Amino acid sequence: MRRRTFLVKLLPLLAVALLPSAWGEEGKEGGKRKSEEGKKRRDEAKEDNRSTPRYYGQVEGVEEDTLWVGGRALQVRTPLLPYLAPGMVVEVGPEGLAVLSPATWSYYQGPGSLVGLGQGPVRAWWGEGGLLWRVLPGYGGQASLVARYRRGTWQAVPKGFSLPRPPQEGWWLLALEGKTGKLIRRLE
């Protein structure tokens, strides 16, 4: 009898002692499940990023909405596409297109005489500091400039242009009358 009495008294104590650890195990299992679900979501997000490849390379050519980079023809939708030059280094990914080199640039199309590049029409790109980066033959028509306005200044624009202050930062297309610019539209 003593043995049975001892066990009867011991059972409630064991139950109380083991019950919190059982709850702890359940809590751990719930934590493990949540952790596994979070990991699964992160892996799916990584896989989504992997399924959309990124391309890095030099621009070889541009035609309508097609950009040739590193021997590949990529469909790219950006208003800056017509203003890219062969030799620019770009990144094309799910977020869009980014020009990596030259880091800052501007594009000019118009008479070469306006920018000191001869008499015929030219297409010219300036890089950082307003230094001439590339010149190609141009086409006739309205002289225009594509440049980025950032932190209160026009970036990579050659000296001597008188350009208006736009209402917001970003890439802008400007019509040129001599060296005076007029905002046409924002390109972003």
Side-chain angles (χ1 to χ4, degrees), residues 67-78:
L67 174 68
W68 279 271
V69 176
R72 293 180 183 260
L74 305 173
Q75 299 297 309
V76 179
R77 296 205 187 283
T78 177

Side-chain angles (χ1 to χ4, degrees), residues 102-173:
T104 59
W105 58 278
S106 67
Y107 167 83
Y108 166 82
Q109 176 190 313
S113 59
L114 187 62
V115 289
L117 296 174
Q119 293 302 315
V122 297
R123 294 184 302 147
W125 291 263
W126 279 268
E128 295 180 48
L131 299 174
L132 189 60
W133 181 75
R134 167 100 8 133
V135 178
L136 295 173
Y139 350 96
Q142 172 69 41
S144 61
L145 179 73
V146 172
R148 186 175 192 183
Y149 187 77
R150 188 172 183 198
R151 295 185 185 131
T153 61
W154 288 100
Q155 297 186 329
V157 173
K159 294 183 185 337
F161 281 100
S162 176
L163 305 176
R165 180 185 175 140
Q168 65 187 63
E169 291 188 346
W171 286 95
W172 289 86
L173 173 62

Side-chain angles (χ1 to χ4, degrees), residues 2-188:
R2 289 179 131 195
R3 195 174 187 193
R4 189 179 280 177
T5 307
F6 176 71
L7 286 175
V8 169
K9 288 184 179 180
L10 184 62
L11 262 169
L13 291 173
L14 283 174
V16 169
L18 294 176
L19 192 58
S21 70
W23 284 342
E25 289 301 314
E26 186 177 301
K28 287 181 187 175
E29 285 299 315
K32 283 183 184 177
R33 264 187 257 123
K34 286 181 185 176
S35 174
E36 288 172 4
E37 288 172 8
K39 184 178 182 221
K40 185 177 178 182
R41 274 189 242 121
R42 284 190 302 273
D43 290 345
E44 287 172 359
K46 285 180 186 175
E47 193 169 307
D48 286 345
N49 285 342
R50 281 188 217 129
S51 66
T52 311
R54 292 183 181 281
Y55 295 99
Y56 296 87
Q58 282 192 332
V59 172
E60 296 167 354
V62 174
E63 185 178 285
E64 294 180 19
D65 66 344
T66 303
L67 174 68
W68 279 271
V69 176
R72 293 180 183 260
L74 305 173
Q75 299 297 309
V76 179
R77 296 205 187 283
T78 177
L80 292 177
L81 194 62
Y83 310 109
L84 299 181
M88 286 182 162
V89 177
V90 297
E91 171 190 3
V92 180
E95 302 85 23
L97 179 129
V99 177
L100 304 176
S101 178
T104 59
W105 58 278
S106 67
Y107 167 83
Y108 166 82
Q109 176 190 313
S113 59
L114 187 62
V115 289
L117 296 174
Q119 293 302 315
V122 297
R123 294 184 302 147
W125 291 263
W126 279 268
E128 295 180 48
L131 299 174
L132 189 60
W133 181 75
R134 167 100 8 133
V135 178
L136 295 173
Y139 350 96
Q142 172 69 41
S144 61
L145 179 73
V146 172
R148 186 175 192 183
Y149 187 77
R150 188 172 183 198
R151 295 185 185 131
T153 61
W154 288 100
Q155 297 186 329
V157 173
K159 294 183 185 337
F161 281 100
S162 176
L163 305 176
R165 180 185 175 140
Q168 65 187 63
E169 291 188 346
W171 286 95
W172 289 86
L173 173 62
L174 298 102
L176 295 173
E177 182 93 20
K179 288 198 172 194
T180 302
K182 176 183 175 189
L183 296 174
I184 295 177
R185 72 174 188 270
R186 190 167 186 259
L187 295 175
E188 291 181 296

